[in-house]
Amino acid sequence: MSLPITTRPELRGSFGMIASTHWVATGVGMGMMERGGNAFDAAVAAGLCLQAVEPNQNGPGGDLPVIFWNAKSAKVEVLCAQAPAPAKATIAHYKALGLDLVPGTGLLAAVIPGSVGGWLTLLRDHGTMRLRDVLEPVIHYARHGYPVTPAMATTIAGVAELFTKHYTTSAQVFLPGGKPPAAGTQLRNPALADTFERMLKEGEAAGGGREAQIDGAYRAFYAGFVAEAIGKFCATQDVFDSSGRHHRGVLTAADMAGWTPKYEAPLAYDYKGWVVHKTQPWGQGPITLQILGMLDGFDLGAMDVNGDEFIHLFIEAVKLAMADREAWYGDPDFVDVPIAQLISKEYAESRRVQIGDTASLDLRPGTIPGRTVQLPNLIGKSIPVLPGVGEPGAVERARAAQGLVAADTVHVSAADRFGNMVSCMPSGGWLQSSPVIPELGFCLGTRAQMFWLDEGLPASLAPGKRPRSTLTPGLALREGKPALAWGSPGGDGQDQWSTLAFLRHVHGKMNLQAAIDQPAVYSIHAPNSFYPREAKPGAVQIEDRLPEATQKALEKRGHKLERMGPWSLGRVCAVGREKDGVLKAAANARFMQNYAAGR
């Protein structure tokens, strides 16, 4: 198979590389390296900037997992800023409200906001720049304006009625002049700029060196004015959510003051000389390792990476790994997850033989000796729709009325001339999640919707427990050195799109940009991680530029194809380092937002 013409070049150089889901953030991050900063400085500045310029995809009320290689310590680590459920978030409390699922919008789904704490911790411990250096860009764009992307314009238009009727504080920020902004116009958020400016002021007032100032800003957020405003808002506001009713939140200032991000060891799988690292099973990242383990026994290198055999094997491996996610994954601080078995070569062999020549329509968790599989009672439950569902667009309007428009994630990967490499996957706190807290300029996240309200499951709700998140940055080593940092937004699709790009890079002998540009697929067979937890057994979304012969052959195998358009799936970003030290980067061209930069 000849290499395709790519949408963009794979960037190459020796100074520094960064790729993100927004060109503004990429420019800001590259600017940090040009000023002498390292990959961590670049990632933090870009990540904070994304909270202003992609508010439909992430915000200060959201979450952040980071996986990185620090050249000084010469090891891969995870910084987990996926914060846990509040102390009052109990199954009994939600059941007493008559709920079977944690709502997908509103205040009841809010966990402790982790992203800001994660960014500040990463900067303090691994960066070199001052607090002011990384906060000035986000303050600038929030105060003076940032470009409305087509995706943002669509999101805001979808929830405009919800904002006007229920989330009036959000309408004041995102409906200038009372109307949804058009793509290409400028949007401002002065209250968000004020929040970051006050954090900067209080941080610098703490005195001391850069670390002390960063800690001062951290205290302002988690034990100061930000936490106080969040606690007051949750305790006093009855907010409409996707249950169709109004509820107050359970998150308090005390919850925030008692939390800090933590460093953890990653999980890893050696795939043909690429040692791929992912987070622990409080996130879905280990499914990548399981997928690779199953596919390790097939000769993918002899297959057409856009052919039906390759795609079929990939989809079926995804289904088996996702079934294990539902059965076994949860916060290992609360649950004895058999993760060593799940990512072992022996277990992969036992699952590999379950991949047949035709599409499976079942949810098939694997067997772990001495363990009993228990799945949630509500798996696959469909959202109640409003009257008139037979009318064109009625289901979409019903979902929008509850705030259930599509949400996504952002990504930043960076590598520098000093040998550092970092992959970050911030998300949550979407503008459509819940009302803007007026004095802060941002809304809270809804990550608690990933908990189940059934007792006894690995992902059952409990105070202090991390939700089983979809956020999944990745980092791979070759010959003991960092070779690739990458990831893709997209909820349950994150590990699918990033892993597919990785496999095409490895087996298709494609450069990073070519691998990202290939037509993508997305199995929606397993229950969705987001409210209302829908599933479509056997269904696969595809980009319809996948070869026609491949499409027909997949359907013959029993896959239920949903054709989504030619450039519609995935937002992969990646940076890498060759064995000779040359740096490289690439970014998805879909939706005209992601960009890489470097030299």
Side-chain angles (χ1 to χ4, degrees):
M1 176 181 176
S2 61
L3 291 182
I5 297 173
T6 61
T7 57
R8 302 165 176 173
E10 178 190 69
L11 305 184
R12 287 183 167 247
S14 58
F15 180 81
M17 292 285 167
I18 182 169
S20 88
T21 51
H22 198 291
W23 67 89
V24 167
T26 294
V28 165
M30 192 65 204
M32 294 296 126
M33 287 193 279
E34 294 288 0
R35 292 165 61 183
N38 62 20
F40 299 103
D41 298 312
V44 172
L48 289 168
C49 191
L50 285 167
Q51 294 184 347
V53 303
E54 277 201 273
N56 54 316
Q57 316 287 33
N58 80 131
D63 332 276
L64 172 66
V66 179
I67 191 164
F68 64 91
W69 171 278
N70 186 311
K72 292 181 180 179
S73 60
K75 64 179 180 178
V76 181
E77 291 185 81
V78 169
L79 176 61
C80 177
Q82 172 57 71
K88 296 180 181 179
T90 65
I91 290 176
H93 176 73
Y94 288 70
K95 289 286 191 180
L97 296 174
L99 299 170
D100 292 322
L101 289 171
V102 177
T105 57
L107 296 180
L108 277 176
V111 299
I112 298 167
S115 63
V116 171
W119 289 127
L120 293 178
T121 299
L122 194 68
L123 177 68
R124 181 195 64 202
D125 296 346
H126 303 282
T128 64
M129 306 291 277
R130 302 173 304 163
L131 178 67
R132 175 173 291 276
D133 296 325
V134 300
L135 285 184
E136 281 183 335
V138 63
I139 292 169
H140 169 86
Y141 284 104
R143 188 167 307 286
H144 299 288
Y146 53 88
V148 175
T149 64
M152 190 190 313
T154 299
T155 297
I156 296 174
V159 291
E161 184 176 349
L162 174 74
F163 283 6
T164 301
K165 186 175 182 180
H166 295 291
Y167 295 180
T168 55
T169 56
S170 299
Q172 293 170 11
V173 177
F174 296 109
L175 297 178
K179 298 179 181 179
T185 59
Q186 293 287 106
L187 197 60
R188 299 170 58 250
N189 190 344
L192 181 63
D194 290 344
T195 295
F196 280 115
E197 276 197 341
R198 183 169 174 184
M199 287 172 57
L200 175 58
K201 181 179 179 180
E202 294 192 17
E204 292 183 334
R210 60 178 295 276
E211 291 85 0
Q213 293 184 13
I214 293 167
D215 286 340
Y218 186 102
R219 287 192 298 272
F221 193 95
Y222 288 94
F225 77 98
V226 175
E228 291 171 5
I230 288 173
K232 179 181 177 181
F233 194 82
C234 288
T236 60
Q237 301 300 306
D238 294 299
V239 170
F240 179 81
D241 60 40
S242 57
S243 71
R245 292 179 282 141
H246 293 73
H247 295 106
R248 293 188 180 186
V250 294
L251 179 62
T252 67
D255 290 316
M256 294 184 61
W259 174 82
T260 56
K262 67 176 183 176
Y263 291 100
E264 298 179 344
L267 299 172
Y269 183 86
D270 186 340
Y271 183 79
K272 303 185 186 306
W274 293 79
V275 183
V276 178
H277 292 77
K278 286 285 184 173
T279 68
Q280 296 286 335
W282 48 261
Q284 74 174 5
I287 72 168
T288 285
L289 309 183
Q290 290 195 246
I291 292 167
L292 294 176
M294 283 180 266
L295 295 179
D296 211 355
F298 297 101
D299 187 7
L300 298 188
M303 300 178 195
D304 178 353
V305 296
N306 286 315
D308 71 288
E309 185 179 14
F310 182 95
I311 300 297
H312 169 74
L313 292 173
F314 175 75
I315 292 169
E316 293 304 298
V318 166
K319 290 178 183 178
L320 294 173
M322 295 285 264
D324 281 339
R325 182 192 74 171
E326 293 304 320
W328 306 114
Y329 288 21
D331 184 349
D333 290 345
F334 284 72
V335 180
D336 182 16
V337 182
I339 195 63
Q341 293 99 313
L342 291 171
I343 63 172
S344 69
K345 291 185 180 295
E346 294 75 18
Y347 183 78
E349 290 174 1
S350 73
R351 297 292 267 159
R352 186 182 305 130
V353 298
Q354 296 179 272
I355 299 176
D357 293 330
T358 58
S360 170
L361 301 182
D362 299 318
L363 190 70
R364 299 182 292 169
T367 299
I368 302 292
R371 302 291 189 100
T372 301
V373 172
Q374 182 181 358
L375 293 173
N377 295 326
L378 295 175
I379 270 189
K381 180 178 179 181
S382 295
I383 180 173
V385 295
L386 301 183
V389 294
E391 302 170 8
V395 172
E396 289 75 14
R397 290 194 295 273
R399 293 175 69 91
Q402 296 173 319
L404 297 174
V405 302
D408 208 342
T409 298
V410 296
H411 182 84
V412 181
S413 285
D416 62 33
R417 64 194 187 279
F418 309 115
N420 303 303
M421 189 176 287
V422 58
S423 174
C424 316
M425 193 70 74
S427 186
W430 309 298
L431 65 86
Q432 61 271 31
S433 295
S434 61
V436 165
I437 301 172
E439 58 264 55
L440 299 180
F442 66 85
C443 62
L444 294 174
T446 55
R447 191 63 60 184
Q449 67 183 287
M450 294 182 168
F451 286 116
W452 293 103
L453 296 181
D454 300 339
E455 298 277 5
L457 299 172
S460 296
L461 175 67
K465 187 177 184 179
R466 289 171 287 185
R468 201 274 300 139
S469 171
T470 56
L471 305 178
T472 171
L475 192 142
L477 306 183
R478 294 190 78 182
E479 299 179 358
K481 295 182 179 180
L484 183 66
W486 84 115
S488 173
D492 295 296
Q494 290 187 20
D495 282 287
Q496 299 190 46
W497 295 319
S498 59
T499 304
L500 190 57
F502 172 76
L503 290 170
R504 283 164 164 165
H505 178 54
V506 172
H507 294 292
K509 304 293 190 289
M510 298 177 179
N511 69 38
L512 293 179
Q513 190 63 54
I516 291 169
D517 284 348
Q518 296 304 294
V521 300
Y522 174 30
S523 171
I524 52 176
H525 170 87
N528 196 289
S529 295
F530 295 89
Y531 182 95
R533 316 304 289 266
E534 298 158 307
K536 291 186 177 182
V540 183
Q541 294 181 350
I542 66 164
E543 291 184 329
D544 53 16
R545 59 194 173 91
L546 197 68
E548 183 65 27
T550 299
Q551 296 183 41
K552 290 179 179 179
L554 289 172
E555 289 181 317
K556 188 175 181 179
R557 289 177 182 268
H559 297 283
K560 301 174 183 178
L561 302 188
E562 296 184 3
R563 293 165 174 83
M564 307 301 292
W567 296 89
S568 55
L569 300 176
R571 297 174 70 203
V572 180
C573 296
V575 299
R577 178 178 281 106
E578 298 282 13
K579 293 180 181 180
D580 61 3
V582 171
L583 301 176
K584 55 188 180 180
N588 167 61
R590 298 163 179 87
F591 315 116
M592 300 180 291
Q593 273 189 232
N594 296 29
Y595 272 89
R599 67 175 179 86

